[in-house]
Amino acid sequence: MKITNHHSAPKKIETRGLPQRLWMLSYGVAVVFLGSCSLLPAKTVDNQQRDTQAQNTTVPNPVIVPPQIFSSSGDPNFVVKVVQQVGPAVVRIDSSRTITSRVPDEFNNDPFFRRFFGEGSPQPRQRVERGSGSGFIINSSGQIVTNAHVVDGADRVTVILKDGRTFDGKVLGEDPVTDVATIKINANNLPTLAVGNSDTLQPGEAVIAIGNPLGLNNTVTSGIISATGRSGSDIGASDKRVDYIQTDAAINPGNSGGPLLNARGQVIAMNTAIIRGAQGLGFAIPINTVQRIAQQLIATGKVDHPYLGVQMVTLTPENKERIKKVAGDRLNLTADDGVLLVEIVPRSPASEAGLRVGDVIKSINSQPVTKIEEVQKLVEKSKIGTKLPIEVERNGQIVQVGVQPAPLPVRREG
């Protein structure tokens, strides 16, 4: 992150985190995650006294309430029934892409090399990268969803059904910002998954994961939802605009794109990432997000995300003190909270609207913001080409700015 003004060269602000390695759950793809831990509060004297009183109180014939998953299904073997019900709609996705190594220019231009190779310069070398992931059928006519990183750059995609049938897959579109992709195969009367509502999920709910981890087809694991609403920033994937569902169901490389199901057999999320070295920390994209993105990919082959062109940081007392030490008198930072703009991309919507490094965003579209995650959500909900009112604090004064979001430029890996 950078702090700049009109009178000095930009300086870099160092931020500290706890780096850990995260694997996107198809072979060969990795990003960096940030993690942290906290301690439970110690018991107080009052709590201890209440515990003692509770132990000395006898409750005759206590009523044992079964877990909700048993109460709703009435069957402790509900996982078996879910797998039998939905297993045929989960697929394996194999992909391959050809990588061509470029011949350095000196081989073509340097007389020394031409003396050995003559007029025929060395030919580019090619190698084939192969990967494997999972997916699930959303339409009986052959539409499938998976992770974008499973099929990114693939020359060939092969879809293998549980019954052993194999099809060539056509990628209809992929969105690296949410890591969702859609595939089409030429088949009809296929089994599909029932869709749940990821907006109503609660920590503690039972979940089931089905996929092809490490090439082991049709693997089933189960666990619970351990958290909801994990932002990309929370888990170290700040380039992703997703509020992830966290689960302790065992998922591994190859599970990418497979479904996370509830106790009724409804898909409520798509498995996508794990933290290497950690146990019980898996992340999945909510199915409501998957559906929204998939519909756009099927209709148009792409998804446009609103873009302002800023880098920002949540303003905390610690960040404010650190920034003041770096910037000194060059930055008149008076706000104690909000979202500080630390870099403005040249010729971006933010630059053209007059936003400046050092501005502190206080509200967007009349909604107060104090964290970068809140800014990202409001920008994502905005409309491309329609002015978005933003209130900032600048040198102690409140300034109103109207920014017209543009489509997010997507940079793909080479």
Side-chain angles (χ1 to χ4, degrees), residues 17-35:
L18 300 176
Q20 295 178 345
R21 180 69 59 186
L22 172 134
W23 288 356
M24 306 306 284
L25 300 181
S26 63
Y27 300 125
V29 182
V31 299
V32 173
F33 259 30
L34 302 178

Side-chain angles (χ1 to χ4, degrees), residues 240-283:
K240 298 291 186 286
R241 297 189 182 183
V242 175
D243 282 341
Y244 294 93
I245 294 168
Q246 182 179 316
T247 179
D248 70 347
I251 51 179
N252 292 279
N255 271 116
S256 258
L260 190 67
L261 305 139
N262 61 20
R264 294 178 293 281
Q266 299 171 325
V267 57
I268 47 91
M270 177 195 292
N271 299 316
T272 189
I274 57 175
I275 297 179
R276 188 177 70 178
Q279 296 183 5
L281 287 177
F283 300 93

Side-chain angles (χ1 to χ4, degrees), residues 194-396:
V195 176
N197 182 6
S198 55
D199 288 342
T200 61
L201 299 176
Q202 298 292 327
E205 290 188 42
V207 289
I208 304 160
I210 305 179
N212 310 288
L214 304 172
L216 301 172
N217 292 353
N218 311 121
T219 295
V220 179
T221 57
S222 65
I224 62 169
I225 294 174
S226 49
T228 60
R230 296 294 196 207
S231 70
S233 298
D234 287 338
I235 63 175
S238 57
D239 61 326
K240 298 291 186 286
R241 297 189 182 183
V242 175
D243 282 341
Y244 294 93
I245 294 168
Q246 182 179 316
T247 179
D248 70 347
I251 51 179
N252 292 279
N255 271 116
S256 258
L260 190 67
L261 305 139
N262 61 20
R264 294 178 293 281
Q266 299 171 325
V267 57
I268 47 91
M270 177 195 292
N271 299 316
T272 189
I274 57 175
I275 297 179
R276 188 177 70 178
Q279 296 183 5
L281 287 177
F283 300 93
I285 305 168
I287 193 60
N288 290 10
T289 300
V290 173
Q291 279 191 302
R292 175 174 57 86
I293 299 300
Q295 289 170 359
Q296 296 179 61
L297 291 175
I298 292 170
T300 66
K302 65 175 184 176
V303 178
D304 286 330
H305 296 273
Y307 161 76
L308 300 186
V310 299
Q311 289 189 12
M312 51 193 173
V313 63
T314 297
L315 196 57
T316 63
E318 294 80 7
N319 283 340
K320 181 177 179 178
E321 186 64 26
R322 188 180 306 163
I323 291 166
K324 289 178 70 174
K325 286 182 179 179
V326 173
D329 296 335
R330 292 168 295 170
L331 184 65
N332 182 20
L333 187 56
T334 58
D336 293 319
D337 56 23
V339 177
L340 175 67
L341 301 185
V342 296
E343 185 173 349
I344 307 295
V345 177
R347 297 179 295 280
S348 66
S351 175
E352 293 177 358
L355 286 175
R356 303 176 187 173
V357 169
D359 285 350
V360 177
I361 300 178
K362 307 298 288 186
S363 71
I364 295 180
N365 206 15
S366 300
Q367 298 188 47
V369 295
T370 57
K371 300 178 181 179
I372 59 175
E373 294 84 3
E374 295 169 345
V375 172
Q376 290 169 337
K377 288 179 182 179
L378 290 172
V379 171
E380 182 69 11
K381 291 179 180 178
S382 67
K383 293 183 178 181
I384 295 173
T386 300
K387 278 196 175 182
L388 184 65
I390 299 179
E391 181 181 275
V392 301
E393 182 173 327
R394 179 183 298 164
N395 296 324

